[in-house]
Amino acid sequence: MHNFLFTFQTTHQALSAEKKMKKEPVSSRLIPTPTEIFAECGFSLELTMDEEQIEQIARGELFPYAECYLIVKSENRSTLYEKIYSGCP
């Protein structure tokens, strides 16, 4: 399982994505967009899922998003964000 962060262009998109993901068998939570990431919307959706599940979302089948990041915890406990997908309508 991996943690992913999705950013959005609007607050409406973020809230809609959160609502859709609450119906799915994955851990999800709406959080403020980290300051390390520039996003048009101040909210991001953090999801915990395996790589097979992320592919469906990455193709835009569940909700539109601006960017997707893999969340990586480093040894010194800081959080790094690695962009893995961009610009799904």
Side-chain angles (χ1 to χ4, degrees), residues 16-81:
S16 178
E18 178 192 33
K19 185 176 180 180
K20 287 179 184 175
M21 293 312 296
K22 291 290 184 192
K23 298 175 185 175
E24 298 293 324
V26 298
S27 172
S28 65
R29 68 186 185 126
L30 197 63
I31 63 169
T33 300
T35 56
E36 300 90 344
I37 298 173
F38 172 78
E40 294 177 32
C41 172
F43 293 104
S44 294
L45 187 63
E46 183 178 330
L47 302 173
T48 302
M49 61 180 62
D50 61 38
E51 291 186 31
E52 290 176 13
Q53 293 170 305
I54 195 72
E55 291 299 322
Q56 183 182 17
I57 296 172
R59 291 189 302 266
E61 294 176 11
L62 293 178
F63 56 81
Y65 64 91
E67 296 176 324
C68 174
Y69 295 84
L70 175 64
I71 301 172
V72 180
K73 300 284 184 181
S74 68
E75 291 180 16
N76 63 2
R77 299 192 131 336
S78 64
T79 303
L80 304 173
Y81 302 94

